[in-house]
Amino acid sequence: MQIETSIESQLKDAAQLTEATWAVLAERVGGVWLLQSVYRLNKSAQNELMGIMGLLSIDAWLCGSLSGGYSRSTAIPANKHLSASRFFAYPVTGTSQVVLVGADEQTPTAQRIWRLTASLLSGRAVGSHQTFLPDLQSGLPFDLPLALEKVLGTFIQAVPIQGAWLAIRRGESLDIQADWNSPKAKGVSLLIDENPILRRVNRSLSEVIITRGQPNWDHLPYGVLKSGTNMWMCLPLVIGQRLIGVVAIWRQKEFALSERGQLREMAARVAPYVEMVVTFSEMTAHLRRLGLLNDFVLTVSSAQNLDQIARRVFGLLARAFNTELIALFLRSSDGRVLRDYRLLDGKMSVISLTVSGHPIQSVIKEGRIRRFKDSGREGYLGLHPNARSELIVPLKYRGQVTGVLVIESPQTEAFSQYDEHLMVVITSHLAGLIEYTRLREEAEGRARSLGLIHEVVQQVIGLNNKREIASISAELVAQYFKYELVVVLLLDEDEKLTIQGTGGTQSETVKEALLDEEFIKPDGVTGFVSRTGESVLVNDTTQDKLYKAIKGWEAHSEICVAIKDGGTILGIIDVENREQNAFSHNDLIAMESMAGILASVVSSANRYQTLRQTIRQLRETEIELNARMEAQRSAESRLLQAAKLAAVGEMAAGIAHELNNPLTTVTGFSELVLDDFPEDSTHRKELEMVLHEARRASSVVRRLLDFSRQGERLRTSADLNEVINDVIALTQHLLQTNNVNLLTELEESLPWVSIDTNQIKQVLLNLIHNGLQAMPTGGEMRVSTRKGQRENRKWVVMSVKDSGVGISPEDQARIFEPFFTTKGDRGGTGLGLSITYGIIADHGGTIDVSSQPGGGSLFEVWLPV
């Protein structure tokens, strides 16, 4: 405290004499500038000054002043609190200290005062002639970086230099652990055998000096050299015949013989000290690692879950081995999924991956410890890009590998055989703790999942519609498990997987994306699962070649499981999320359980649908059989009717011939006699009655002859609508006089039919006359045509419908029989519909009647196209 007060007093006096704004004494320790004494700077200004001194340009400028041993000045970078425009630096000879003055200008006299002040402060420096030994009470040997900075400082103080670094040997490499005016040198590892200069130093154990222009100048191990640098020296630190480290220094001018001897002597004197502090550091690390077991018992064993266990283990290992390149892989109980724990940017990252194809799979399979001193030279690719050495320890529980712990370091030979043995002990305890915790977590997770699945099953059990089953299942799974997207695909009638149900907050987004795209990607996750039936869990789709994105939707996590009934794949369940690492092994197990339940429900629905289809087919068969039986009965009835008509026709022909000649004679002579009778003859009326009845009898005979001559025809292709129009023109007057309103509905573009137009006209005339006789007080008649389909054939249908008295069901069965009439005393012969039936049957058609008493009648004539 007294010394610091004396220094501050000297700074105060000098500042007042030179009118400086402020002044400080700064020292470079461990690559950082520290303020040892301060005059006229508050805390804010001090913090700002230290920040400016930490800038690479200012640091190099200050180091140049120290190495050159001369004062210099430069403009102060932009600031808020320093209240001066320029720095003035005055090095303290023989130390790593500098007096830094802030002022707008300094006169030559003021500069001489500050140089004198710096020279007075240099009297406190350790002379180069003093023996360099560590102060065991200061704690310096236990702080390796600070101790090595002090060692390097002795070389810097001994001779003027531009830059320097000190490296400690570890195995076959040299690790730079202290530097002076050589940015980014610290932490660099140099392989001895790969550099000719370092090989020479290792073999000769003597210093090596390289001059610019010599062949080895381009092989300098490391150093950011300025263009004016011409000399480079490497000094070995040797214990016995063993190289423990090197010191590299460089500058502009050549090293004098006296300087070389001084530096050689200094290297010999500091080597034991370096050996001592390195040994102390290793012993400290060794003791710290021994404390791992105690820390493990106190901290790790009390963890409540796997994440907490991993976090605490990583903390212990990071402190013990001075590295954050740590990874822990834990296998699921079924061995299909790996839980990957790592430290990324100081934060714990957990991700679930499939074991198949993972780089750590070979380690799990072998189950043995691996230690790599230099992974690059031994051909092992580490988990972290900057890893140089690895320690890989499997976790075994009851003889089975349940996981792998990987510790990596950016340094070569960072792990010893003792570390290997220590980690075996730790991992043996860790494996049991992890296995117990994992089984408990999985049991709790599965219990929760099964509870949620039970809720879903309650909603779908007993349903027989597959689309309804899939839709409800997708919506409920998304709701209960908080999934962003759930898609259920099932086999359709064409044995093709189609989306039957979707759920989740992103379902509408995916539906829109699928308007122009198929969901099943043959070379993607869904295609793989639908082909193989194997489940897939992806927690980082950017690293999985199997994942194929849909336009408009890109997931970063995906689970896909098959819905299987034995070896038959009935469908798949696909779950996706936009976040990485969204699913755990419990999610996979839950979806597989859900798929198993859906397989049973869907199989039952399939069997139900098959049963319904069988019943429907049986009913269709029954209907078809009944239709065929009805058609058979109809055909038999028609055959019987045709036989009747044929028999009646033959009889009618004979009767007609027998009656026609007498009737002709009666009619002829009656006409002759009637011509001779006067108009007022009393017998004229009787004779007219005879003539009328004879003519009526002739009409019956003529109709009998027409009935018997139906086989004679002349067929041509004709438009049925034209035939109907001709008949309507003939009967129009008759209809009007009988107070009947005629309506026609003739379909246009009606196919032509092969008919005898005269016979079809007779058919229509018969039907119209029958209709007129059924409406004695007038009414409405509708004549229509249309296309028809019956018995896999195309037909033309002509319909005649009246609003008359109708026909009773008993009479409908006999109306086509010859001589059957319902007209009674209205003069019907009973041959009109029989002749009509015969004409239509001769044309290969049919005639149907439907009627209700008092409800009119409908006659439909079916003619084949």
Side-chain angles (χ1 to χ4, degrees), residues 732-746:
Q732 190 70 43
H733 178 71
L734 181 62
L735 292 168
Q736 292 176 355
T737 57
N738 283 272
N739 198 26
V740 173
N741 182 27
L742 178 65
L743 301 175
T744 58
E745 295 179 358
L746 307 182

Side-chain angles (χ1 to χ4, degrees), residues 9 31 42 129 156 214 369 425 435 499 638 749 762 824 857:
S9 177
N42 58 27
H129 62 280
I156 297 168
Q214 289 184 346
I369 300 173
V425 176
E435 185 67 11
I499 295 177
R638 289 172 185 171
S749 66
Q762 183 180 351
S857 302

Side-chain angles (χ1 to χ4, degrees), residues 802-808 851-857:
D802 62 63
S803 59
V805 296
I807 308 171
S808 67
S851 180
Q852 292 290 337
S857 302

Side-chain angles (χ1 to χ4, degrees), residues 133-134 238-239 244 266-278:
L133 290 174
V238 181
I239 297 295
I244 65 167
M266 187 175 296
R269 281 191 288 110
V270 302
Y273 171 70
V274 171
E275 174 80 355
M276 185 184 301
V277 295
V278 170

Side-chain angles (χ1 to χ4, degrees), residues 48 52 55 75-82:
E48 187 172 28
I52 292 175
L55 297 175
I76 301 177
N79 62 88
K80 295 181 179 179
H81 304 98
L82 297 183

Side-chain angles (χ1 to χ4, degrees), residues 278-333:
V278 170
T279 302
F280 279 163
S281 176
E282 290 179 351
M283 289 176 62
T284 302
H286 176 71
L287 293 172
R288 187 166 57 246
R289 292 174 187 178
L290 275 177
L292 271 178
L293 289 175
N294 184 55
D295 291 341
F296 178 83
V297 173
L298 293 176
T299 60
V300 178
S301 299
S302 61
Q304 300 298 314
N305 52 58
L306 290 178
D307 292 350
Q308 202 172 67
I309 289 174
R311 193 174 293 107
R312 293 183 180 182
V313 167
F314 279 33
L316 292 175
L317 296 179
R319 291 194 298 271
F321 293 98
N322 194 28
T323 180
E324 289 191 350
L325 309 183
I326 307 171
L328 176 63
F329 301 94
L330 300 179
R331 281 207 312 173
S332 60
S333 55

Side-chain angles (χ1 to χ4, degrees), residues 124-298:
R124 300 181 300 107
V126 178
S128 62
H129 62 280
Q130 293 176 303
T131 303
F132 192 94
L133 290 174
D135 182 0
L136 296 179
Q137 295 182 352
S138 66
L140 188 62
F142 303 101
D143 190 341
L144 182 63
L146 183 59
L148 295 181
E149 287 281 353
K150 289 287 187 182
V151 171
L152 186 60
T154 62
F155 289 90
I156 297 168
Q157 297 165 13
V159 296
I161 59 174
Q162 289 180 322
W165 50 255
L166 185 152
I168 299 299
R169 183 170 185 174
R170 292 187 182 277
E172 298 302 318
S173 65
L174 289 165
D175 297 340
I176 299 177
Q177 298 196 15
D179 70 278
W180 169 262
N181 201 20
S182 181
K184 301 181 180 179
K186 186 179 291 187
V188 174
S189 183
L190 306 171
L191 293 174
I192 297 175
D193 290 341
E194 291 184 0
N195 186 276
I197 299 173
L198 296 180
R199 283 202 305 268
R200 179 178 167 186
V201 173
N202 186 40
R203 291 171 184 172
S204 65
L205 299 178
S206 60
E207 76 272 11
V208 173
I209 299 177
I210 308 295
T211 305
R212 183 182 288 273
Q214 289 184 346
N216 278 335
W217 183 261
D218 294 332
H219 296 98
L220 296 182
Y222 188 85
V224 181
L225 306 181
K226 296 182 179 180
S227 58
T229 303
N230 296 309
M231 303 298 295
W232 187 90
M233 176 185 285
C234 184
L235 296 161
L237 303 179
V238 181
I239 297 295
Q241 294 296 314
R242 178 168 54 89
L243 180 71
I244 65 167
V246 298
V247 175
I249 58 177
W250 55 89
R251 69 181 188 181
Q252 289 179 315
K253 62 181 182 178
E254 186 177 354
F255 292 100
L257 290 176
S258 60
E259 291 177 323
R260 292 172 59 180
Q262 181 183 357
L263 292 172
R264 190 183 306 115
E265 180 185 357
M266 187 175 296
R269 281 191 288 110
V270 302
Y273 171 70
V274 171
E275 174 80 355
M276 185 184 301
V277 295
V278 170
T279 302
F280 279 163
S281 176
E282 290 179 351
M283 289 176 62
T284 302
H286 176 71
L287 293 172
R288 187 166 57 246
R289 292 174 187 178
L290 275 177
L292 271 178
L293 289 175
N294 184 55
D295 291 341
F296 178 83
V297 173
L298 293 176

